[in-house]
Structure formats: structure tokens, C-alpha cells
């Protein structure tokens, strides 16, 4: 009953019938309350999204599997410290983490959630050491920025190790198989000894008339010694009155049921006591008989065997007509090969069983001898055939195992090669080496490249490179190929936000909500849609909804901070940015947001610190370089600011912001010619930027080129600048003919 219930529970879990699994497993634990069954019930509760129930039944359990399941329940209930104490008890420092690699992985996740990044990295490394194919552990190491090269993690040494593990497992299986075969072989005679008498009794009960249907009868034939004048056989039986003399040549067919009854009752000839002088002659005839049998089978010489069989039948009829005895005698084939007397005693039934055992071996495929031969040769012949068959079987099995091992080795290398490429691309992407990551991802085969996960990684790389058009292309392709994949869709919605694709962003948000209303990515897309419409309050509500659904989703916290910053609620903005950093310390967007807030609050030292932290995480972002340069300029460190802005321009020549900031600094240093040159280059990139023309008008005013100054101010007004800049540009245009000391420095 217990086995049946356990099987049904596992079947229900495989078929996602979680409620049914819970019900059956509760009945199982009520009937058989072992800890193993309690573990199965806890597993059912976790599958049914009831971690509190699993927590209740597992509390206080000590088995490793129970500890792991209890820690998982605590993790799902956000009881991180209790989960940590279960996996790694403080009062038992030498106890092993349960469940091997997965236990270390769970402990690493707990450490990361509690801000202990170095300890988390150590646990993830340990998990990857125990199981090199645990991709999730390598992914976490990449997110932490401490993953080793994928070539080292998924190297040839790893492949050899996996092959050795597989080989050791195969060797153990082969050893078990050999032991089972040895046990089976040793128990075969005794088992057959029990089976054969039952078969013979059934044959006797049926009064069968034909031997071919019961080949074991043919195998019980005795070897009759014939003389030159008469064929006389003398038999000794347990009863003195049963002694008879008969001269016969037995036929191959069983014609007398009563004779078979006598055989069963024990009146059958025993093994002949052959004279030593007759042994060579008998061996000679035996060899000739075997040769004829083999040649007959090879060349289908049925014409030779049929007359012999007819001769046997005629002799049988003659002998039966002349016989006055009811005692049946069995011969090999009716041919006289030797002479002598055969004696049968009370041990005959055991002989009959032993010959029946050999008949079963004949039935399993061994050639049946139709000629008369000595019984002493039967075990040797059977043993030789068994040895040959065993050798062929073992050789064939070894070849199959070698072929299977070769396929496994090839499969291991192919899998590690794939993980090596994917892992290296993901590692470079997490280190924000986006161009190198793209080159690695392009090495993937087409079948792997055109998958949702890879295309999203490519889209993220282009997003970090501020190439929003390419990012849009790959994200859209990923969404088409895998429309129900939600990972990365939050970044896709931000791409559409930067492209001002309001209609597409709205459609994406509705589609994601229809797929999964409980996913934070869907609500981030909805929030970006309202943020694009400048409805910051509604956008903020949607971002907060995403935070409620997943408090460990760092990007949702950051987007809330952006919206509070847009609403100039800097206190709440700082709060959400810090929450994002608690979730992910390497989330550079939150460091950037903190820097922007401090820059607006004119806390330039704080701003420079946070921009630099963001720049250390993502050293290839031209936006971060630009804002760091702005903070340095605000701190009057103009040379460092210009150097940083030059790096930003070299990193992304299409980004207009560092060019404008560089021209602004050069203008402040009264390097007007260089500033105008930079603005002319900026005009080629962003010809419709009003602030650029306003700065050019100010520089022309400083150079006393008033007509060009008025012209530039006029273009700036025509480009419809923001309301805050509009008043400043109008004031500067009105004061263009006034002395410089009366001009405002707002531009």
C-alpha cells in the first residue's frame, strides 16, 4: 500500500496535479508517518505554493533532505536568518550543507540577499565545484562580477571529470550486473531441479504420444550396448518381479504410453558401465555422428536423414511385435555402436532429472545430438557452448558499453562547449563589456542564437551601448520567437521609452499584462508607458505595484526613484535608490540616480562619489563618464572634467551630451574658438537641440559678433525649448546689445 501511494504521489507531481498529490500524501503520512514520507509531503506543499505548511511539518527535523526543504520553505517565507541557521547551524560548524551543490546555491542566495557578497560568491563557487553543470550558480557569479572565465569553468578538465564520474557509475553498474549473473548461474541447477519433475508429471498426466512436443524425453535416451548376435539389455529394478529381458532398437517416437509410465516410476535404464576397451570405439562413432549432424544441417541433407528415420520405424515395429515385455527402453538412434549391459537402480529418477536439465539447455538453442553418445561428454559439450556464448555476450556487451561511453564523452564535450560560449557571453555582458559579449554570442549556432534568452542578452548589450535601434530590433525578435518570455521585457519597455514609441510601448504593456498580471516586468512596462506621457504619478503607482510583487526586483526600485526625482521628491527618490542597492549592489542605475539627485541638490562631492561608483561598475558608459565630468566641473576640477568628457566622446561619438558639456567648460575657460568648433561638430549630430544654439549665441555675444548671436538665439526659440529654458533664452536675446557685465550667466 505504501509503495503504491508513493508512486501515485510522484505521478501526480509529474502531471502537475499538486492538490491531488497533497491529498494522497497526507493520507500516506497518516498511515505511514515516516520522515521520508513527511519529506514527500513537504515537497507537495512547496509545489502547491504552501511553504508555511511545509515549514510547520519540517520544523525540528534533522535529516539532510528535511533540512534542505525546511530552508527552502523559510526562504520562500522570507525568513532568511532561520533558513541560514538550518543550512549552516552556528552550534555545529562541521556539519555539511544538505543536498550538495543545490544546498550551497541556496545558501549563496541567502548570503546575497543579506548583503554578504563575498560569502555568497564562495558558496556559488562551491556549488559549481560540486556540479559543473549548475548553470544558475555560474549565472549568479556573473551577476556578482566575480565569475572566472568560462573557458576555465567549462574546460577540458571539467569534461574529463564528468567522464570519469560517468565511467565510475558505469563500472558500478557492470559490477552489479556481473554479480547478478553469477548468482543466477549458481542457482540455475537447483531451480531447474524443482521445475523439471513438475513438467514431466504434467506430461505423464496428458499421456502424450509424440516426443517432438516434449524434447526433454529425447534427452533421456540411454545408450544400449549391442552384441553381434543379439541385442539383450538386462535391467535391475527395485521389485524383483519387474526384471525382464528384451532385445530392441528404440525408435525416436514415443509409441507406448504405458512404457513412459514405467519410465516415470523408475523402471528406466541407468548410465552404462562401459568397458575400457570400448571407449575409443565409442568416441570414434560419436565424432562421426557429430560430423554427420553438422554437415546435414549445413547442406540441408534431408534425403540422408529420412531413410534412416524410416529404418528406425520399421525396426521399431518389428521389435514391438516380438516383445513380451512391458518395459520400455530408449536408444539414441538405433545404431549399434558398442556392446555390453546396462543396469538401472533406484537412483534412476535423479539421472532422469539431470538429463532433463540438459534437455532444457537444448531447448534454449544448443544443438541436439541425434546419434548415440556417452553421457560423460554431455557436460563438457554444454559447458563449452555456454562458455562460448558467454564470451560472445560479454564481448558484445563491452562493445555496446564502449560505444555508449564514446557517445557520452562526445555529448559532454558538446554541452560544455555550448555552456562555454553562453557563459563567456553572459559574463562579459555582466561586466558591461558589451561589444566583446556580442562577438561571443555571434559564435553560437543559428539554432541557439535564435532563442529568446540569447536575443534578449543581445538586446541588453545594445541597450548598454546606447544603440536603441539595434536593441529594439533584437528585443522585438525575441518577443516574436518567445512571446511568453517575460525576462528582459522591462528593459525592452525602457528602449521603447527612449525611442518615444508610445503606441508600441502601450501595446507591449497590454500584452504583458494579459500574459501574467503578477509579473513585475509587466507593471514596469505599464509604468514606462505612463512616464512617456509625463504622467509621473500614475507611472509611480505602477512601479510600486511591481515592487510589491517582487521586492527583490532591483530595477523596479530604481524606476520608482526616477519618478520621485521627476516629481522633485528627492527624499523618497533617495530611499528607493538605496533599496535597489540593497537588492543588487552592482545595479549601477541606482548609483547613477543617487548622483543625479545630489547633483541637483548641489551636493557635488556626494554626486562625484556616486557617479564614480557607478562608473567603476560600468566603465564603458559614456553617460556615466559625462555626468562624472559634470560633477568634476562643478567642483572646479576642470582638467579632470575635460579628460573624462574626452573619454565619453571617444566611447560614444553619437552621444551629444558630452560634446555639449565639453563646449560649456571650454566656454567657461574662455576658449571660445575651441568651444565653437565642438558645437559645430555637435550640430551635425543633434541639429535640433535648442540649448546648443543658445550656447552658441552666448559665445558670439562674448566675441562681440552680435548678428550671429541674435541669429542663434532666434533659432533656439524656434525649436520650442522647455518652459524653464524659454524665459532664459528670451532674456539673453533682449540683452544682446547690453554690456557683458549686465548679462545673466544662466545659459
Amino acid at each position: 500500500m505504501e509503495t503504491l501511494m508513493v508512486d501515485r504521489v510522484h505521478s501526480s507531481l509529474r502531471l502537475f496535479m499538486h492538490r491531488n498529490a497533497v491529498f494522497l500524501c497526507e493520507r500516506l503520512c497518516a498511515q505511514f508517518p515516516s520522515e521520508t514520507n513527511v519529506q514527500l509531503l513537504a515537497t507537495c506543499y512547496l509545489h502547491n505554493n504552501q511553504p508555511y505548511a511545509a515549514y510547520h511539518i519540517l520544523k525540528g527535523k534533522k535529516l539532510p533532505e528535511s533540512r534542505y526543504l525546511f530552508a527552502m520553505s523559510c526562504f520562500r517565507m522570507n525568513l532568511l536568518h532561520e533558513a541560514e541557521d538550518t543550512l549552516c547551524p552556528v552550534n555545529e560548524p562541521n556539519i555539511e550543507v544538505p543536498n550538495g551543490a543545490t544546498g550551497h546555491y541556496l545558501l549563496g542566495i541567502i548570503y546575497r540577499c543579506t548583503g554578504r557578497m563575498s560569502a555568497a560568491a564562495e558558496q556559488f563557487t562551491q556549488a559549481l565545484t560540486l556540479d559543473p553543470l549548475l548553470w544558475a550558480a555560474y549565472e549568479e557569479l556573473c551577476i556578482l562580477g566575480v565569475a572566472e572565465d568560462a573557458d576555465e569553468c567549462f574546460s577540458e578538465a571539467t569534461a574529463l571529470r564528468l567522464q570519469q564520474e560517468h565511467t565510475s557509475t558505469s563500472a558500478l553498474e557492470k559490477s552489479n550486473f556481473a554479480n547478478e549473473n553469477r548468482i543466477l548461474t549458481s542457482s540455475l541447477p537447483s531451480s531447474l531441479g524443482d521445475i523439471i519433475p513438475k513438467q514431466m508429471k504434467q506430461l505423464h498426466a496428458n499421456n502424450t504420444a509424440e516426443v517432438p512436443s516434449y524434447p526433454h524425453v529425447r534427452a533421456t535416451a540411454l545408450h544400449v550396448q549391442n552384441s553381434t548376435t543379439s541385442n539383450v539389455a538386462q535391467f535391475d529394478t527395485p521389485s524383483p518381479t519387474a526384471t525382464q529381458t528384451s532385445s530392441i532398437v528404440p525408435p525416436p517416437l514415443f509409441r507406448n504410453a504405458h512404457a513412459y509410465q514405467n519410465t516415470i516410476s523408475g523402471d528406466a535404464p541407468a548410465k552404462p558401465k562401459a568397458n575400457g576397451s570400448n571407449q575409443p570405439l565409442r568416441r570414434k562413432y560419436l565424432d562421426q555422428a557429430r560430423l554427420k549432424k553438422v554437415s546435414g544441417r549445413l547442406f540441408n541433407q534431408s534425403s540422408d536423414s529420412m531413410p534412416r528415420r524410416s529404418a528406425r520405424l520399421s525396426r521399431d515395429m518389428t521389435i514391438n511385435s516380438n516383445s513380451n515385455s512391458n518395459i520400455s527402453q530408449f536408444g539414441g538412434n538405433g545404431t549399434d555402436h558398442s556392446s555390453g549391459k546396462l543396469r538401472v537402480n533406484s537412483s534412476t529418477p535423479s539421472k532422469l532429472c539431470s538429463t532433463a536439465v540438459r534437455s532444457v539447455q537444448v531447448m534454449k538453442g544448443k544443438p541436439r545430438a541425434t546419434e548415440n553418445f556417452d553421457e560423460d561428454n554431455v557436460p563438457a559439450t554444454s559447458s563449452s557452448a555456454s562458455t562460448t556464448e558467454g564470451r560472445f555476450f560479454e564481448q558484445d556487451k563491452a562493445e555496446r558499453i564502449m560505444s555508449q561511453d564514446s557517445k557520452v564523452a562526445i555529448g559532454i564535450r558538446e554541452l560544455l562547449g555550448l555552456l562555454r560560449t553562453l557563459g563567456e557571453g553572459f559574463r562579459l555582458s555582466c561586466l558591461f563589456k558589451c561589444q566583446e559579449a556580442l562577438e561571443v554570442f555571434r559564435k553560437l549556432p543559428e539554432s541557439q542564437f535564435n532563442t529568446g534568452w540569447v536575443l534578449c542578452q543581445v538586446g541588453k548589450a545594445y541597450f548598454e551601448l546606447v544603440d536603441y535601434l539595434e536593441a529594439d530590433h533584437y528585443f522585438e525578435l525575441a518577443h516574436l520567437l518567445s512571446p511568453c518570455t517575460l525576462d528582459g521585457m522591462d528593459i525592452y519597455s525602457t528602449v521603447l521609452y527612449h525611442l518615444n514609441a508610445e503606441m508600441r510601448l502601450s501595446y507591449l504593456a497590454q500584452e504583458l499584462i494579459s500574459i501574467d498580471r503578477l509579473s513585475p516586468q509587466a507593471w514596469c512596462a505599464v509604468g514606462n508607458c505612463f512616464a512617456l506621457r509625463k504622467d509621473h504619478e500614475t507611472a509611480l503607482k505602477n512601479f510600486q505595484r511591481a515592487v510589491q510583487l517582487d521586492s527583490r526586483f532591483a530595477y523596479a526600485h530604481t524606476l520608482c526613484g526616477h519618478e520621485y526625482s521627476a516629481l522633485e521628491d528627492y527624499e523618497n527618490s533617495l530611499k528607493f535608490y538605496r533599496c535597489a542597492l540593497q537588492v543588487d549592489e552592482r545595479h549601477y542605475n541606482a548609483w547613477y540616480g543617487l548622483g543625479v539627485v545630489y547633483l541637483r541638490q548641489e551636493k557635488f562631492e556626494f554626486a562625484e562619489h556616486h557617479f564614480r561608483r557607478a562608473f567603476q561598475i560600468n566603465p564603458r558608459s559614456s553617460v556615466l563618464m559625462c555626468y562624472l565630468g559634470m560633477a568634476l566641473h562643478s567642483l572646479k576640477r576642470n582638467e579632470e572634467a575635460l579628460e573624462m568628457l574626452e573619454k565619453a566622446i571617444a566611447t560614444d561619438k553619437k552621444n551629444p551630451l558630452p560634446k555639449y558639456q565639453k563646449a560649456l567648460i571650454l566656454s567657461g575657460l574662455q576658449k571660445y574658438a575651441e568651444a565653437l568648433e565642438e558645437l559645430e561638430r555637435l550640430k551635425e549630430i543633434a541639429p535640433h537641440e535648442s540649448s546648443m544654439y543658445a550656447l552658441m549665441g552666448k559665445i558670439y555675444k562674448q566675441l562681440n559678433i552680435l548678428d550671429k548671436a541674435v541669429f542663434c538665439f532666434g533659432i533656439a526659440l524656434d525649436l520650442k525649448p522647455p518652459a524653464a529654458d524659454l524665459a532664459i533664452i528670451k532674456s539673453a536675446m533682449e540683452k544682446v546689445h547690453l554690456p557683458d557685465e549686465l548679462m545673466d550667466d544662466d545659459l
Side-chain angles (χ1 to χ4, degrees):
M1 176 180 175
E2 182 179 8
T3 303
L4 177 61
M5 294 181 72
V6 170
D7 179 70
R8 297 313 302 168
V9 170
H10 284 294
S11 177
S12 297
L13 290 177
R14 285 195 302 270
L15 297 174
F16 307 100
M17 301 289 293
H18 298 149
R19 291 180 57 193
N20 188 64
V22 168
F23 176 81
L24 291 177
C25 204
E26 287 176 346
R27 308 284 74 71
L28 173 67
C29 291
Q31 188 73 22
F32 307 99
S34 64
E35 187 164 345
T36 304
N37 293 336
V38 172
Q39 293 170 4
L40 183 58
L41 179 58
T43 303
C44 295
Y45 282 142
L46 290 173
H47 278 286
N48 202 37
N49 197 25
Q50 295 177 272
Y52 45 87
Y55 175 92
H56 175 72
I57 65 173
L58 289 173
K59 192 172 181 63
K61 303 296 183 182
K62 297 299 182 182
L63 289 182
E65 183 66 22
S66 300
R67 290 167 50 214
Y68 176 79
L69 292 172
F70 183 74
M72 181 61 71
S73 303
C74 294
F75 179 78
R76 294 222 186 148
M77 298 170 66
N78 206 28
L79 303 175
L80 301 182
H81 292 292
E82 192 169 355
E84 179 185 349
D85 291 339
T86 303
L87 293 174
C88 189
V90 178
N91 55 352
E92 300 180 37
N94 297 326
I95 192 171
E96 293 185 358
V97 176
N99 254 35
T102 53
H104 284 283
Y105 172 78
L106 178 58
L107 188 57
I109 292 292
I110 294 171
Y111 285 150
R112 185 169 71 85
C113 293
T114 53
R116 292 169 284 178
M117 301 304 170
S118 58
E122 182 180 351
Q123 294 298 322
F124 292 139
T125 303
Q126 182 67 19
L128 204 59
T129 302
L130 294 174
D131 184 3
L133 300 181
L134 187 59
W135 167 261
Y138 186 78
E139 192 175 36
E140 291 293 337
L141 289 172
C142 292
I143 293 173
L144 292 176
V146 295
E148 61 181 352
D149 291 348
D151 292 336
E152 297 179 4
C153 184
F154 307 106
S155 60
E156 283 296 320
T158 304
L160 292 175
R161 174 188 160 192
L162 292 174
Q163 286 180 242
Q164 291 174 357
E165 292 177 357
H166 175 77
T167 303
S168 62
T169 305
S170 300
L172 181 61
E173 291 176 355
K174 288 188 288 185
S175 176
N176 294 337
F177 180 79
N179 292 335
E180 291 175 1
N181 281 350
R182 188 159 52 249
I183 294 171
L184 180 62
T185 304
S186 62
S187 62
L188 181 62
S190 61
S191 63
L192 285 179
D194 296 334
I195 296 173
I196 297 303
K198 297 178 182 179
Q199 294 177 342
M200 297 184 67
K201 290 178 181 179
Q202 181 180 3
L203 180 65
H204 166 63
N206 293 337
N207 291 328
T208 306
E210 293 294 335
V211 174
S213 299
Y214 299 86
H216 56 276
V217 177
R218 181 188 294 271
T220 61
L222 301 178
H223 311 292
V224 181
Q225 296 179 342
N226 301 317
S227 62
T228 55
T229 58
S230 64
N231 298 326
V232 179
Q234 184 177 357
F235 301 87
D236 295 335
T237 62
S239 176
T241 60
T243 304
Q244 297 289 341
T245 302
S246 177
S247 175
I248 63 171
V249 179
L253 298 179
F254 197 5
R255 298 297 183 184
N256 195 341
H258 180 68
Y260 183 71
Q261 294 176 5
N262 293 338
T263 303
I264 297 300
S265 64
D267 301 333
K271 178 181 177 181
K273 297 181 180 179
N275 296 329
S277 59
N278 292 333
Q279 289 293 337
L281 182 62
R282 297 170 70 182
R283 298 283 177 89
K284 176 180 177 182
Y285 281 108
L286 174 63
D287 294 339
Q288 291 177 355
R290 289 177 179 170
L291 181 61
K292 290 179 181 179
K293 180 65 177 178
V294 172
S295 63
R297 283 200 302 268
L298 290 177
F299 300 103
N300 197 19
Q301 297 176 352
S302 59
S303 59
D304 295 338
S305 60
M306 290 304 294
R308 294 170 58 198
R309 191 176 288 266
S310 300
R312 294 180 202 149
L313 293 175
S314 63
R315 287 195 297 270
D316 180 33
M317 294 175 64
T318 304
I319 291 171
N320 286 337
S321 62
N322 296 329
S323 177
N324 295 324
S325 172
N326 290 330
I327 300 176
S328 175
Q329 301 179 7
F330 298 92
N333 57 4
T335 306
D336 297 337
H337 296 306
S338 59
S339 61
K341 293 183 179 181
L342 300 179
R343 301 179 64 85
V344 177
N345 52 29
S346 60
S347 64
T348 301
S350 63
K351 294 289 185 178
L352 182 61
C353 291
S354 65
T355 55
V357 171
R358 291 194 296 273
S359 71
V360 173
Q361 295 176 344
V362 171
M363 293 166 62
K364 291 185 178 180
K366 296 181 178 57
R368 294 181 294 176
T370 58
E371 302 297 331
N372 189 17
F373 58 92
D374 190 0
E375 284 186 352
D376 290 338
N377 293 326
V378 175
T381 305
S382 177
S383 176
S384 175
S386 300
T387 303
T388 304
E389 283 192 5
R391 184 165 59 251
F392 288 155
F393 175 76
E394 292 296 333
Q395 182 179 0
D396 182 61
K397 185 173 181 296
E399 291 177 356
R400 290 199 308 269
I401 292 175
M402 290 178 61
S403 175
Q404 185 177 6
D405 290 344
S406 176
K407 291 179 180 179
V408 169
I410 295 173
I412 289 174
R413 283 183 166 80
E414 289 178 351
L415 176 58
L416 289 179
L418 177 61
L419 293 180
R420 194 179 302 125
T421 304
L422 293 172
E424 185 64 14
F426 187 72
R427 185 184 73 87
L428 293 172
S429 180
C430 290
L431 294 176
F432 302 101
K433 298 179 180 180
C434 301
Q435 200 62 49
E436 293 90 332
L438 290 173
E439 293 175 1
V440 173
F441 283 130
R442 290 191 184 102
K443 296 179 182 178
L444 289 169
E446 185 178 356
S447 59
Q448 291 291 335
F449 186 84
N450 291 325
T451 56
W453 187 87
V454 175
L455 291 173
C456 282
Q457 296 302 319
V458 173
K460 289 179 182 179
Y462 279 115
F463 170 75
E464 297 297 342
L465 293 172
V466 202
D467 191 347
Y468 298 129
L469 291 176
E470 284 296 317
D472 175 32
H473 169 71
Y474 284 101
F475 274 121
E476 183 180 13
L477 185 59
H479 189 57
L480 288 174
L481 289 176
S482 184
C484 294
T485 298
L486 299 179
D487 290 338
M489 292 298 102
D490 51 327
I491 305 296
Y492 184 27
S493 65
T494 303
V495 169
L496 297 177
Y497 170 87
H498 286 294
L499 293 175
N500 293 318
E502 182 179 350
M503 184 178 295
R504 293 178 58 199
L505 179 56
S506 177
Y507 180 77
L508 175 66
Q510 293 181 17
E511 192 173 12
L512 296 179
I513 288 293
S514 65
I515 293 173
D516 187 3
R517 294 182 61 87
L518 301 180
S519 65
Q521 295 88 348
W523 292 102
C524 285
V526 175
N528 277 328
C529 184
F530 284 103
L532 184 58
R533 299 176 182 176
K534 306 301 180 183
D535 188 354
H536 299 295
E537 293 182 355
T538 307
L540 181 60
K541 290 179 181 179
N542 288 282
F543 293 142
Q544 288 175 338
R545 173 64 172 158
V547 171
Q548 291 174 353
L549 290 170
D550 188 357
S551 60
R552 296 189 180 97
F553 196 66
Y555 193 47
H557 290 281
T558 301
L559 292 174
C560 287
H562 290 341
E563 294 307 309
Y564 275 118
S565 180
L567 293 171
E568 298 183 357
D569 187 351
Y570 297 126
E571 183 178 354
N572 282 319
S573 179
L574 294 174
K575 174 184 174 182
F576 274 94
Y577 286 139
R578 287 167 183 154
C579 289
L581 292 176
Q582 289 178 357
V583 175
D584 184 3
E585 190 179 16
R586 297 187 72 251
H587 189 61
Y588 79 91
N589 307 76
W591 291 106
Y592 160 79
L594 288 171
V596 170
V597 171
Y598 287 126
L599 188 64
R600 292 180 180 177
Q601 292 177 339
E602 298 184 357
K603 298 179 181 180
F604 302 125
E605 291 182 356
F606 287 162
E608 188 263 340
H609 168 74
H610 288 88
F611 284 136
R612 196 170 291 279
R613 287 294 301 271
F615 177 67
Q616 290 173 354
I617 297 171
N618 186 1
R620 301 194 180 191
S621 172
S622 63
V623 176
L624 294 178
M625 295 177 189
C626 181
Y627 274 89
L628 180 56
M630 293 166 60
L632 293 171
H633 171 60
S634 301
L635 292 171
K636 308 300 181 184
R637 296 156 60 180
N638 293 322
E639 294 300 326
E640 295 181 42
L642 287 174
E643 182 181 355
M644 189 59 64
L645 291 171
E646 287 289 348
K647 288 183 180 180
I649 293 171
T651 302
D652 184 7
K653 296 181 179 180
K654 296 181 180 180
N655 188 0
L657 185 58
K659 293 180 181 292
Y660 176 79
Q661 292 296 328
K662 180 183 177 181
L664 187 62
I665 294 174
L666 291 173
S667 175
L669 296 174
Q670 297 183 358
K671 297 179 180 181
Y672 300 123
E674 296 179 18
L676 286 173
E677 290 178 3
E678 197 65 43
L679 290 172
E680 289 294 333
R681 287 192 288 269
L682 176 60
K683 190 190 296 184
E684 297 175 0
I685 300 173
H688 304 292
E689 186 63 42
S690 61
S691 58
M692 175 190 65
Y693 288 102
L695 181 57
M696 290 178 70
K698 180 181 178 180
I699 293 174
Y700 283 127
K701 173 66 174 60
Q702 296 293 331
L703 294 175
N704 203 23
I705 308 175
L706 302 181
D707 53 345
K708 288 189 176 181
V710 173
F711 177 75
C712 290
F713 285 136
I715 295 177
L717 291 173
D718 292 339
L719 291 175
K720 297 180 180 180
D725 296 337
L726 181 61
I728 298 174
I729 295 173
K730 285 183 177 181
S731 176
M733 187 175 182
E734 292 173 356
K735 298 176 181 179
V736 71
H737 297 286
L738 296 176
D740 295 339
E741 57 270 13
L742 298 178
M743 291 285 293
D744 296 330
D745 293 332
D746 295 333
L747 291 176

